[in-house]
Amino acid sequence: MYVSCLRDLCRQIGIPADLLQEELVFFPGDTPLATAARSLQAIEKVKEEMSRLMNGLKVFIVLDDVWCHEDVELFNFGEVMETSFALFVTTRTLDMFPSAQACWIDIPLLKPEDAVSYFFFESGRGDPLPSVQEFHFATKLVRKCGFLPLAIRIMAKMARAHPDFLRSENDLESITSTIKTVKDVSAANETIIHIVNRSFSFVTDADASFAVKICFAAMAVVFHRDDRVRPWISKNIVEVLWSKLLTLDKLRPHLHKLREYRLVHMADISRLLNIIGLVDNRQALKNKNEESKDQNQSIQLQIHHDLLWEYGKEVAVQYANAMKSPSTSNQTQEDSVCKMSNFEEMLVEW
C-alpha cells in the first residue's frame, strides 16, 4: 500500500513511477520479528529513493484527516532533500508526540453564530436574511448537530431540498435520528453513523476497538435522563461501570486485548475517548467550603454531542440484538427502544 501511494505521488508531481523500485525479500525460516524488520528496512529504502527522486523540486504535500500520526513520518521526505519541502497535515486526533519542528494550529468547533451562518450558506437560500422563526430554529439545529460542519451541511442540504424543513420545529428531537441515516454525497455516500463509527478506528486492534465502543455505548445508555440525554457524570462512576462491564463472560477476552493495547486502566479508556473527541471532561462545580482530597473524584465526563449519543444508543441496540436475538435483522423503532432497555437490564443485573 505504501509503495502504491508513492507511485501515485510520482504521477502527481510528474516523475515516472517506474523509477521507484521496490525490493522486499522474505525467507522461509524468518521469524515474525525478522519479517517485520525486513519490511521496515524496505520501507526506509523506498522512502530514501523517493526523497532522491524529488530532490531538486519544490514539494508541498497535504495529508488530509490523518488518524495514525506515526504514518506522517513515512511521507516526510524533506529530511534528506536539499530543496524546499513542506508537509501539511490535517487531523481530528491529538498527536501525543508531535515533531519539534512542526507548527500547530488548533481549530476548535464552529462558534454558534458561525455555525448558523454556515447552515444558511450551505442551504443556498436566496433570501438576504432569515426570518426570526427560521433563525431561532437554525440556532437550535446547529446545537443539536454538535456544531459539526459535516452534520450541519447535511441538514442544510435537507433544508434546500425541503422548503418546509425550517418550519418543522416540532420534529427537532428526531433530527439526530434523521442525520445519522441521510447520506452525504461528498463523503462517498456514507451515512453519518458510519462516519462516526470510523472514529473508533483510532484503536487499530479490532477487539480492543470493539471493547472501547461497547464502553462508550454503555455510558450513553446508562447515564441519560429524559430531560437531558448527555448529563455530566462523575468520571469515577463511569469507570466503575466499565470495569464491571468488561468482567462479563462475553467481554472478558476483550479486556485482555485492551491490556495488550496498553489500555490497562479504565482511566486510559476515558482519556482515549477524550483525545479522539468523543467525550468532554471538566472539573465538577463545588461549593466554596468543599474540598476534595482526590482531584480525580471531581472530574466529570459528558458525551460530546447528541449525534454521538445517538451513535452510542445504536451500538447498544446492535449489541443487545446480537446477544439476545441474533437471527433478527430488521427492527422497528419500538424494537430499538426495547433492545436499548434490554442492554440497560443486562448492565443492571450485575
Side-chain angles (χ1 to χ4, degrees):
M1 181 183 293
Y2 179 57
V3 174
S4 176
C5 289
L6 295 188
R7 285 177 176 160
D8 289 340
L9 182 58
C10 286
R11 298 185 186 97
Q12 292 177 21
I13 61 179
I15 297 176
D18 296 339
L19 295 178
L20 193 65
Q21 300 296 324
E22 176 186 8
E23 296 181 4
L24 181 57
V25 179
F26 295 119
F27 297 100
D30 281 349
T31 63
L33 182 61
T35 300
R38 291 182 188 278
S39 298
L40 289 175
Q41 291 172 358
I43 288 174
E44 286 296 325
K45 188 173 181 180
V46 76
K47 178 184 173 183
E48 291 178 4
E49 181 67 13
M50 188 68 189
S51 299
R52 185 187 66 79
L53 292 174
M54 289 195 301
N55 195 28
L57 301 175
K58 294 182 179 180
V59 181
F60 181 78
I61 295 178
V62 177
L63 301 179
D64 185 40
D65 202 10
V66 172
W67 285 93
C68 185
H69 294 276
E70 290 77 5
D71 293 342
V72 173
E73 193 60 31
L74 297 175
F75 296 89
N76 185 12
F77 306 110
E79 296 174 338
V80 295
M81 289 178 58
E82 298 176 357
T83 51
S84 175
F85 176 84
L87 192 62
F88 185 86
V89 180
T90 68
T91 181
R92 287 176 279 173
T93 61
L94 177 64
D95 188 358
M96 302 301 296
F97 304 100
S99 172
Q101 300 176 346
C103 297
W104 287 84
I105 301 176
D106 185 18
I107 303 177
L109 292 173
L110 292 174
K111 295 180 180 178
E113 58 271 21
D114 294 334
V116 172
S117 298
Y118 180 60
F119 172 81
F120 285 116
F121 172 79
E122 286 288 345
S123 64
R125 291 166 49 88
D127 300 343
L129 289 174
S131 66
V132 175
Q133 179 186 2
E134 290 174 341
F135 184 84
H136 179 69
F137 177 78
T139 302
K140 288 186 176 181
L141 176 62
V142 296
R143 184 179 297 111
K144 202 76 174 174
C145 292
F147 303 108
L148 298 177
L150 179 59
I152 294 172
R153 182 172 61 191
I154 291 178
M155 287 294 96
K157 299 304 180 185
M158 290 186 62
R160 188 172 188 173
H162 306 284
D164 293 334
F165 179 77
L166 289 175
R167 292 184 287 274
S168 58
E169 189 165 352
N170 292 334
D171 298 328
L172 189 62
E173 292 304 318
S174 63
I175 280 179
T176 48
S177 299
T178 303
I179 293 175
K180 72 180 184 182
T181 57
V182 175
K183 293 183 177 181
D184 177 33
V185 294
S186 63
N189 275 347
E190 288 187 290
T191 62
I192 288 293
I193 202 72
H194 291 151
I195 294 174
V196 173
N197 189 57
R198 290 199 297 176
S199 299
F200 291 88
S201 64
F202 184 87
V203 181
T204 55
D205 182 87
D207 291 327
S209 178
F210 177 77
V212 174
K213 193 182 301 182
I214 292 299
C215 287
F216 179 79
M219 178 181 176
V221 170
V222 174
F223 302 113
H224 77 277
R225 302 197 306 260
D226 293 338
D227 60 332
R228 188 172 186 182
V229 295
R230 301 181 299 109
W232 286 99
I233 305 297
S234 168
K235 176 175 176 287
N236 285 354
I237 293 177
V238 175
E239 291 171 358
V240 167
L241 169 70
W242 292 342
S243 64
K244 295 293 185 180
L245 176 65
L246 293 173
T247 59
L248 292 175
D249 293 339
K250 296 183 182 298
L251 292 175
R252 190 175 290 114
H254 294 83
L255 181 60
H256 300 302
K257 288 292 184 179
L258 285 172
R259 290 171 177 168
E260 291 177 3
Y261 202 78
R262 298 182 182 178
L263 296 173
V264 180
H265 307 290
M266 297 302 105
D268 297 329
I269 297 178
S270 58
R271 181 170 175 269
L272 175 66
L273 291 176
N274 178 250
I275 289 174
I276 60 181
L278 301 178
V279 169
D280 299 326
N281 62 30
R282 72 173 186 183
Q283 290 288 331
L285 302 177
K286 299 183 295 183
N287 297 327
K288 293 182 179 180
N289 298 328
E290 183 180 355
E291 295 182 0
S292 176
K293 296 181 180 179
D294 185 2
Q295 189 176 10
N296 288 329
Q297 291 181 357
S298 62
I299 297 178
Q300 295 179 327
L301 302 179
Q302 182 192 47
I303 293 176
H304 186 54
H305 53 77
D306 286 7
L307 280 176
L308 286 175
W309 181 84
E310 286 282 349
Y311 172 80
K313 182 183 71 174
E314 187 80 10
V315 170
V317 168
Q318 292 176 359
Y319 182 74
N321 190 43
M323 291 297 101
K324 295 201 170 186
S325 52
S327 61
T328 60
S329 57
N330 299 324
Q331 56 184 4
T332 64
Q333 185 174 0
E334 290 77 11
D335 293 333
S336 178
V337 174
C338 179
K339 293 296 182 183
M340 188 176 71
S341 300
N342 289 341
F343 187 79
E344 286 185 272
E345 293 172 3
M346 290 167 59
L347 300 177
V348 172
E349 283 177 1
W350 40 262

